[in-house]
Amino acid sequence: MSDMEEPYSDEDILDMIAAGAVTTVTLLVGFELLAAGVSHFLLAFPVRIKSLLESLH
């Protein structure tokens, strides 16, 4: 049997987990604002995603 290389490094895996967590939190906040009746809930998506993703790098 040959040794197979791992397709992702540990840093890549952490980046994928962080991106998934940011997306999940952003969607939850957006839907909570929608359910709460906030009329500008759509602003939460681009502003929050942009600020959180920039903070990761």
Side-chain angles (χ1 to χ4, degrees):
M1 290 176 51
S2 64
D3 293 328
M4 295 183 64
E5 293 183 21
E6 292 185 26
Y8 301 108
S9 69
D10 290 339
E11 187 174 316
D12 291 337
I13 292 171
L14 289 176
D15 285 344
M16 288 187 279
I17 291 170
V22 167
T23 302
T24 302
V25 168
T26 302
L27 288 173
L28 288 174
V29 168
F31 287 125
E32 287 174 5
L33 291 173
L34 174 63
V38 176
S39 60
H40 300 294
F41 76 97
L42 286 175
L43 293 176
F45 289 102
V47 171
R48 186 157 175 91
I49 287 176
K50 182 179 184 303
S51 64
L52 289 175
L53 290 178
E54 285 180 354
S55 69
L56 292 176
H57 290 285

